[in-house]
Amino acid sequence: MDPQHKRAGVRRLAWGAAAVAASAALVSGTVTGVGAAQAAEPRAPAPTPAAPGATPSAAAPVAVTQPPAPAPVTTPSAGEEIPAFGVFLKSDARGVARMPLFSHWLGGTELRVGHTYLPGHRWRDIEGAPGFLDVWAHWRNKKADRMLVLNVPMQERNEEGVSDREVRQLLRQGAAGEFDHHFRVLAERLVELKVPDTVIVLGWEMNGTTYTHRCGPDPEAWKKYWNRIVTTMRSVPGQKFQFDFTPSRGQDAVPWTKCYPGDDTVDVIGMDSYDQPAGMSFEEQVKEPYGLQHHVDFAKAHGKPISYPEWGLFRNGDNAEYMRSMLAWMEEHRPLYNTLTDYCPHGVWQCAANPKSSHLYRSALFGRSDQATPPLMPTPTPKPTPPGTTPPPADCTPLDLGSWVEEWLGGKLCLRFDWW
């Protein structure tokens, strides 16, 4: 899919006063986090659907409707551990700030995976510019079972429409070792931040046409370059990185198997899979060449775990059947981790346009713990308690953000000193 659309979509989100408060708290250093004090379970966001590309207005209340109850989603057998999952909410500190709110929306179900992206504008970004990764490392190190997933571009100017001819030359330069030092700096910074076990999604969606780190112009040079990067990062003392090879689903510009750099430098075989193209059923997504089944079979043949770093809705609108099928697929095939992309048009929490899928996702994951539970039926949406009727926790200072923002969040936003 078009990553420029994806990244622009994140920037356009109308977070309003809540984002300002959360971001200011993180940047100022006066507190270490943001939490939510809520008297009742927040409702699944289901405002009046907006036109494609539209974002909620920060000047008007959100009109909430009740989606129909979805069918139950199959859960793991008793005693089986639930695979790690998370959600992409924003690349910077706001992504971390929103995670406890998303978890609260799921009835306390913990997000064990934090997922972010290094900017790909300049090499300084790809080296992990000071300050960018600190908040993610701090979140990761609060609990031993958490996982940090970091998408790392292989080239600067990564979304700037660089020609195939120039990409080919850059890949050959990378294969010759000209960019090794940038990745050594990144590895050293991750180790210094005490996140040496980060999952590195290196050169993702390489089988497409958009990124400067795409494989198509010279697959052989791309593979050599990947191997140099991995070898360089693994040479840093103290590292325990896992490298995730993640194409987009389907053939795209080039079959992704032509880009596979080899078992020695790949730890996880991932796939970014959105509900597209228009009119394609989930069964077709499974069976298409280089699709979901091919991915599972390829990983099994190479003795690697699978992952889904990006997945979500896209070309087929508010598709609850896709949501149910993808959740069931992941519970059957047990990926190492999965992270839903949560903004319009893909998401279920920050996007008002997908109420049915939102309700199904929330019902399937509501209140889940590290151990499997009996099969889940849809969770009824509780009646809201007017903001302010229940006092916030003792360690939480409420913020007055206005009634409509509190309605969207499901209660008051408050500052806490220990949430992460």
Side-chain angles (χ1 to χ4, degrees):
M1 66 174 302
D2 180 359
Q4 296 185 55
H5 168 74
K6 291 191 292 182
R7 305 303 276 276
V10 178
R11 290 192 292 268
R12 287 196 300 265
L13 284 170
W15 184 252
V20 173
S23 301
L26 287 166
V27 173
S28 69
T30 58
V31 295
T32 59
V34 179
Q38 290 159 303
E41 260 335 303
R43 289 176 287 179
T48 303
T55 55
S57 169
V62 179
V64 179
T65 58
Q66 189 70 16
V73 176
T74 305
T75 58
S77 302
E80 290 186 317
E81 183 179 338
I82 296 172
F85 80 98
V87 59
F88 174 69
L89 296 165
K90 188 73 173 174
S91 293
D92 59 19
R94 287 169 290 182
V96 179
R98 293 171 188 178
M99 289 171 69
L101 302 179
F102 190 93
S103 179
H104 191 94
W105 178 69
L106 290 180
T109 301
E110 184 175 2
L111 303 179
R112 289 178 50 209
V113 184
H115 186 190
T116 190
Y117 297 71
L118 288 176
H121 308 301
R122 297 293 178 264
W123 282 116
R124 180 177 180 275
D125 302 317
I126 298 171
E127 291 174 351
F132 183 84
L133 290 172
D134 301 56
V135 66
W136 291 98
H138 188 67
W139 173 86
R140 160 64 184 92
N141 287 321
K142 275 294 182 178
K143 290 192 176 181
D145 65 347
R146 287 177 174 174
M147 179 185 301
L148 177 60
V149 175
L150 179 64
N151 278 49
V152 176
M154 295 168 68
Q155 290 288 352
E156 64 176 352
R157 297 181 292 144
N158 200 38
E159 297 181 28
E160 297 183 16
V162 177
S163 69
D164 279 356
R165 180 178 180 181
E166 188 172 359
V167 167
R168 188 178 300 111
Q169 180 60 33
L170 289 168
L171 290 175
R172 291 173 182 176
Q173 289 177 252
E178 292 189 27
F179 309 127
D180 288 1
H181 59 288
H182 298 297
F183 296 96
R184 184 174 296 108
V185 170
L186 172 61
E188 290 170 349
R189 285 182 172 164
L190 289 169
V191 171
E192 183 181 0
L193 288 169
K194 301 186 182 349
V195 284
D197 56 353
T198 298
V199 177
I200 306 290
V201 186
L202 181 63
W204 69 100
E205 298 182 11
M206 77 299 293
N207 55 327
T209 60
T210 302
Y211 293 117
T212 305
H213 63 221
R214 61 189 179 271
C215 167
D218 193 336
E220 291 306 311
W222 192 92
K223 290 185 282 189
K224 290 178 182 177
Y225 184 28
W226 165 288
N227 289 332
R228 284 204 69 101
I229 294 171
V230 173
T231 300
T232 297
M233 294 187 71
R234 284 180 175 170
S235 72
V236 172
Q239 68 80 35
K240 302 175 185 177
F241 304 125
Q242 294 188 75
F243 290 89
D244 190 330
F245 171 83
T246 297
S248 55
R249 197 197 74 241
Q251 179 166 319
D252 212 330
V254 61
W256 51 262
T257 52
K258 289 188 176 181
C259 308
Y260 186 68
D263 293 344
D264 290 343
T265 57
V266 173
D267 300 296
V268 183
I269 298 177
M271 178 163 282
D272 288 351
S273 185
Y274 291 89
D275 186 22
Q276 66 167 342
M280 177 177 274
S281 68
F282 186 81
E283 183 178 1
E284 291 172 311
Q285 295 176 27
V286 171
K287 295 180 178 179
E288 70 173 324
Y290 308 102
L292 290 170
Q293 188 63 56
H294 192 163
H295 170 229
V296 169
D297 293 343
F298 185 88
K300 183 177 181 180
H302 289 264
K304 306 294 182 182
I306 62 171
S307 71
Y308 298 98
E310 293 184 28
W311 70 279
L313 305 163
F314 196 13
R315 302 289 187 186
N316 294 294
D318 183 12
N319 189 348
E321 182 57 35
Y322 164 83
M323 184 62 61
R324 181 219 315 280
S325 298
M326 191 65 184
L327 288 169
W329 177 265
M330 289 188 291
E331 290 201 349
E332 177 184 357
H333 294 286
R334 318 296 291 176
L336 178 67
Y337 70 91
N338 80 81
T339 47
L340 176 75
T341 300
D342 192 78
Y343 54 81
C344 285
H346 316 298
V348 296
W349 185 62
Q350 295 185 124
C351 184
N354 302 313
K356 295 178 183 179
S357 300
S358 172
H359 190 66
L360 192 145
Y361 181 90
R362 183 172 184 254
S363 297
L365 296 173
F366 190 91
R368 291 176 69 161
S369 64
D370 287 341
Q371 295 301 316
T373 57
L376 292 171
M377 296 299 290
T379 304
T381 303
K383 295 181 179 179
T385 300
T389 58
T390 299
D395 60 350
C396 191
T397 301
L399 299 175
D400 185 7
L401 302 175
S403 60
W404 80 265
V405 175
E406 291 167 2
E407 172 78 5
W408 183 80
L409 290 173
K412 284 186 176 293
L413 190 73
C414 66
L415 301 182
R416 292 177 54 183
F417 293 81
D418 62 351
W419 68 271
W420 65 12

mmCIF file of all heavy atoms in Angstrom, residues 34-38 100-101 104 393 396 409 411-414 416:
data_model
loop_
_atom_site.group_PDB
_atom_site.id
_atom_site.type_symbol
_atom_site.label_atom_id
_atom_site.label_comp_id
_atom_site.label_asym_id
_atom_site.label_seq_id
_atom_site.Cartn_x
_atom_site.Cartn_y
_atom_site.Cartn_z
ATOM 1 N N VAL A 34 0.887 9.412 30.875
ATOM 2 C CA VAL A 34 -0.492 9.839 30.809
ATOM 3 C C VAL A 34 -1.361 8.625 30.979
ATOM 4 O O VAL A 34 -1.099 7.573 30.423
ATOM 5 C CB VAL A 34 -0.786 10.494 29.442
ATOM 6 C CG1 VAL A 34 -2.238 10.909 29.365
ATOM 7 C CG2 VAL A 34 0.118 11.690 29.227
ATOM 8 N N GLY A 35 -2.426 8.735 31.767
ATOM 9 C CA GLY A 35 -3.338 7.625 31.944
ATOM 10 C C GLY A 35 -4.752 8.105 31.815
ATOM 11 O O GLY A 35 -5.012 9.266 31.534
ATOM 12 N N ALA A 36 -5.713 7.226 32.045
ATOM 13 C CA ALA A 36 -7.119 7.604 31.952
ATOM 14 C C ALA A 36 -7.833 7.199 33.219
ATOM 15 O O ALA A 36 -7.719 6.070 33.669
ATOM 16 C CB ALA A 36 -7.758 6.941 30.745
ATOM 17 N N ALA A 37 -8.580 8.105 33.768
ATOM 18 C CA ALA A 37 -9.427 7.800 34.917
ATOM 19 C C ALA A 37 -10.845 7.725 34.426
ATOM 20 O O ALA A 37 -11.406 8.711 33.984
ATOM 21 C CB ALA A 37 -9.291 8.902 35.966
ATOM 22 N N GLN A 38 -11.446 6.527 34.451
ATOM 23 C CA GLN A 38 -12.757 6.345 33.860
ATOM 24 C C GLN A 38 -13.658 5.581 34.804
ATOM 25 O O GLN A 38 -13.250 4.611 35.432
ATOM 26 C CB GLN A 38 -12.612 5.600 32.525
ATOM 27 C CG GLN A 38 -11.960 6.513 31.490
ATOM 28 C CD GLN A 38 -11.349 5.729 30.360
ATOM 29 O OE1 GLN A 38 -10.516 4.877 30.589
ATOM 30 N NE2 GLN A 38 -11.741 6.027 29.155
ATOM 31 N N PRO A 100 -1.890 3.157 26.850
ATOM 32 C CA PRO A 100 -2.746 2.790 27.992
ATOM 33 C C PRO A 100 -4.215 3.120 27.767
ATOM 34 O O PRO A 100 -5.092 2.454 28.311
ATOM 35 C CB PRO A 100 -2.158 3.608 29.149
ATOM 36 C CG PRO A 100 -1.412 4.718 28.506
ATOM 37 C CD PRO A 100 -0.875 4.163 27.222
ATOM 38 N N LEU A 101 -4.507 4.136 26.949
ATOM 39 C CA LEU A 101 -5.899 4.442 26.631
ATOM 40 C C LEU A 101 -6.501 3.349 25.754
ATOM 41 O O LEU A 101 -7.646 2.932 25.952
ATOM 42 C CB LEU A 101 -5.985 5.793 25.924
ATOM 43 C CG LEU A 101 -5.427 6.995 26.689
ATOM 44 C CD1 LEU A 101 -5.552 8.260 25.842
ATOM 45 C CD2 LEU A 101 -6.137 7.166 28.013
ATOM 46 N N HIS A 104 -7.113 0.391 27.951
ATOM 47 C CA HIS A 104 -8.312 0.585 28.767
ATOM 48 C C HIS A 104 -9.578 0.346 27.942
ATOM 49 O O HIS A 104 -10.546 -0.232 28.435
ATOM 50 C CB HIS A 104 -8.323 1.995 29.351
ATOM 51 C CG HIS A 104 -9.367 2.189 30.403
ATOM 52 N ND1 HIS A 104 -9.124 2.032 31.742
ATOM 53 C CD2 HIS A 104 -10.691 2.499 30.303
ATOM 54 C CE1 HIS A 104 -10.234 2.248 32.419
ATOM 55 N NE2 HIS A 104 -11.196 2.538 31.577
ATOM 56 N N PRO A 393 -8.386 7.967 40.389
ATOM 57 C CA PRO A 393 -7.487 7.333 41.349
ATOM 58 C C PRO A 393 -6.663 8.376 42.080
ATOM 59 O O PRO A 393 -6.434 9.478 41.591
ATOM 60 C CB PRO A 393 -6.609 6.444 40.469
ATOM 61 C CG PRO A 393 -7.407 6.213 39.227
ATOM 62 C CD PRO A 393 -8.218 7.467 39.036
ATOM 63 N N CYS A 396 -3.697 10.087 40.235
ATOM 64 C CA CYS A 396 -4.044 10.560 38.902
ATOM 65 C C CYS A 396 -4.716 11.918 39.002
ATOM 66 O O CYS A 396 -5.710 12.065 39.709
ATOM 67 C CB CYS A 396 -4.986 9.550 38.248
ATOM 68 S SG CYS A 396 -5.262 9.834 36.509
ATOM 69 N N LEU A 409 -13.090 9.640 24.754
ATOM 70 C CA LEU A 409 -12.133 8.830 25.497
ATOM 71 C C LEU A 409 -12.825 7.834 26.419
ATOM 72 O O LEU A 409 -12.237 6.841 26.817
ATOM 73 C CB LEU A 409 -11.231 9.735 26.342
ATOM 74 C CG LEU A 409 -10.221 10.595 25.586
ATOM 75 C CD1 LEU A 409 -9.535 11.549 26.544
ATOM 76 C CD2 LEU A 409 -9.190 9.725 24.881
ATOM 77 N N GLY A 411 -14.125 8.892 29.367
ATOM 78 C CA GLY A 411 -13.888 9.401 30.712
ATOM 79 C C GLY A 411 -12.856 10.505 30.676
ATOM 80 O O GLY A 411 -12.431 10.946 29.614
ATOM 81 N N LYS A 412 -12.428 10.938 31.837
ATOM 82 C CA LYS A 412 -11.443 12.009 31.912
ATOM 83 C C LYS A 412 -10.037 11.469 31.646
ATOM 84 O O LYS A 412 -9.705 10.357 32.032
ATOM 85 C CB LYS A 412 -11.483 12.671 33.296
ATOM 86 C CG LYS A 412 -12.662 13.618 33.500
ATOM 87 C CD LYS A 412 -12.543 14.334 34.826
ATOM 88 C CE LYS A 412 -13.673 15.351 35.002
ATOM 89 N NZ LYS A 412 -13.541 16.459 34.039
ATOM 90 N N LEU A 413 -9.220 12.289 30.974
ATOM 91 C CA LEU A 413 -7.806 11.999 30.834
ATOM 92 C C LEU A 413 -7.095 12.558 32.051
ATOM 93 O O LEU A 413 -7.434 13.631 32.520
ATOM 94 C CB LEU A 413 -7.254 12.666 29.572
ATOM 95 C CG LEU A 413 -5.841 12.263 29.155
ATOM 96 C CD1 LEU A 413 -5.858 10.860 28.579
ATOM 97 C CD2 LEU A 413 -5.291 13.242 28.135
ATOM 98 N N CYS A 414 -6.136 11.814 32.571
ATOM 99 C CA CYS A 414 -5.428 12.307 33.744
ATOM 100 C C CYS A 414 -3.955 12.005 33.629
ATOM 101 O O CYS A 414 -3.552 11.102 32.897
ATOM 102 C CB CYS A 414 -6.002 11.681 35.027
ATOM 103 S SG CYS A 414 -5.719 9.913 35.144
ATOM 104 N N ARG A 416 -0.532 10.655 35.241
ATOM 105 C CA ARG A 416 -0.061 9.754 36.274
ATOM 106 C C ARG A 416 1.455 9.703 36.257
ATOM 107 O O ARG A 416 2.082 10.032 35.255
ATOM 108 C CB ARG A 416 -0.627 8.337 36.056
ATOM 109 C CG ARG A 416 -2.122 8.250 36.282
ATOM 110 C CD ARG A 416 -2.629 6.856 35.993
ATOM 111 N NE ARG A 416 -1.897 5.863 36.736
ATOM 112 C CZ ARG A 416 -2.115 4.555 36.601
ATOM 113 N NH1 ARG A 416 -3.005 4.109 35.756
ATOM 114 N NH2 ARG A 416 -1.419 3.687 37.300
#
